[in-house]
């Protein structure tokens, strides 16, 4: 019994600057705003790529990223004593992530790449509730349904860190492939 609109407005700017033929800076700024509650996020991002040799490069990057929760969470209703209903999650803000990554790329052939990457994410403003200590919105999507939990607040935290190896063949000669493996640790409060 709800009729409402929910839009996500986004814009970005990016800039690339070559210090030398081997050292390049990539920077950008991303903006997004949710129409439901007017929450917004301004996210700076930056990466520095150093081409070590003809087929080798190292990149160090970092930035801020924000995301909305599954839309159903915003429209959960809690029934008050008088029988009326209130949407307690409607004012949830973006979940924020500060990220850093260090990667090494090797191109053994014209259409192949091997990439080794290590990363860290610091998560904040994660929706949680005082009613259920086990609940964190970071776990939404891990099952086949969305939890029906009301009265969420952006007070949870989390972190992810790990390493990843990717072997990739870019599309050529009518085929491509991507093989990747990760070893990571993911925690939340």
């Amino acid at each position: 019994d709800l009729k409402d609109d929910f839009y996500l407005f986004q814009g970005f700017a990016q800039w690339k600057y070559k210090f030398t033929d081997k050292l390049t800076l990539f920077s950008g700024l991303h903006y997004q705003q949710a129409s439901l509650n007017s929450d917004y996020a301004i996210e700076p991002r930056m990466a520095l790529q150093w081409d070590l040799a003809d087929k080798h490069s190292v990149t160090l990057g970092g930035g801020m990223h924000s995301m909305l929760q599954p839309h159903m969470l915003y429209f959960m209703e809690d029934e008050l004593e008088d029988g009326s209903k209130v949407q307690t999650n409607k004012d949830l803000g973006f979940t924020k992530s500060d990220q850093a990554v260090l990667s090494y790329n090797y191109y053994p052939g014209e259409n192949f790449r091997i990439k080794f990457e290590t990363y860290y994410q610091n998560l904040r403003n994660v929706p949680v509730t005082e009613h259920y200590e086990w609940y964190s919105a970071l776990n939404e999507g891990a099952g086949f349904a969305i939890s029906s939990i009301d009265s969420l607040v952006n007070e949870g935290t989390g972190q992810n860190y790990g390493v990843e190896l990717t072997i990739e063949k870019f599309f050529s000669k009518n085929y491509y492939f991507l093989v990747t493996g990760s070893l990571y640790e993911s925690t939340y409060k």
Side-chain angles (χ1 to χ4, degrees), residues 91-128:
D91 290 328
L92 282 176
F94 286 98
T95 295
K96 311 278 187 174
S97 175
D98 303 314
Q99 303 181 12
V101 63
L102 176 63
S103 66
Y104 167 75
N105 289 286
Y106 171 58
Y107 297 89
E110 184 179 345
N111 294 304
F112 287 91
R113 174 173 69 170
I114 298 171
K115 178 168 69 169
F116 177 77
E117 196 167 70
T118 183
Y119 62 89
Y120 175 78
Q121 295 177 309
N122 179 53
L123 304 161
R124 53 194 165 78
N125 292 12
V126 177
V128 294

